[in-house]
Amino acid sequence: CPGGTVYYGRRFPKGKTSGRKATYEELLQDNYHKHTMGSSESAVPCANSFFRTDPLMGQKKQCFCAQLDPTPQPVPKPTPEPTRKLSETVFRCASYQPATCKCPGGTVYYGRRFPKGQTSGRKATYEELIMDNHYKYIMMGNEDSIDCANYAFKTDPLKGEKKQCFCKQLK
């Protein structure tokens, strides 16, 4: 997972022991996972021994690699029918709550506005929000926007803390 973050957690959706594998979002949502920054030179083993813990005792695990800023690849020569690769874009869509976050077809993440232990100053980054594990997300589907507020997410992931929203879209 060169330059990315490896997430290690349940292989199957909550309450299941076989069948369809859990998605990346399902793995992050239930907060029983561990993560580490990947290395630019080697693969990360998907095993309890590497993460030095078992986030869900007795359950099968899997790993996901999340890369926010992949290294740019050389542009191939044009072909008659060009193919298009999907890339992930993450941006702050609401710096405070309540505010409207526009994120057509993406996933909106709702969590702390400032880095852990701070109540003002610079805003927390998307990476800090995700690593903190105190956030909620909503996949937008056919909606274009959502209010960045407790009532819209039907919860308060950090009571008493100011919040912000990030939008993650595939393009």
Side-chain angles (χ1 to χ4, degrees), residues 2 24 29 34 45 53 69 97 100 123-124 131 133 151 155:
Y24 171 72
Q29 188 175 32
K34 294 294 173 187
T53 187
D69 295 313
Q97 98 255 20
T100 299
K123 292 179 179 58
M131 287 187 167
N133 288 333
Y151 64 83
T155 187

Side-chain angles (χ1 to χ4, degrees), residues 48-119:
N48 291 340
S49 59
F50 176 80
F51 289 90
R52 296 184 182 163
T53 187
D54 188 344
L56 289 159
M57 297 290 274
Q59 293 192 27
K60 294 182 179 183
K61 315 294 184 304
Q62 67 177 332
C63 286
F64 285 96
C65 173
Q67 293 177 308
L68 295 178
D69 295 313
T71 305
Q73 299 296 318
V75 177
K77 292 181 181 180
T79 58
E81 295 179 7
T83 57
R84 184 175 175 201
K85 280 186 156 180
L86 290 178
S87 64
E88 187 175 89
T89 302
V90 176
F91 61 92
R92 184 177 288 111
C93 57
S95 295
Y96 58 91
Q97 98 255 20
T100 299
C101 169
K102 293 183 180 172
C103 186
T107 301
V108 177
Y109 293 82
Y110 177 63
R112 73 170 68 242
R113 186 183 316 167
F114 303 107
K116 193 171 186 176
Q118 297 180 21
T119 57

Side-chain angles (χ1 to χ4, degrees), residues 120-135:
S120 64
R122 84 168 173 85
K123 292 179 179 58
T125 65
Y126 170 76
E127 291 81 6
E128 289 171 320
L129 184 137
I130 296 299
M131 287 187 167
D132 186 38
N133 288 333
H134 293 286
Y135 64 90

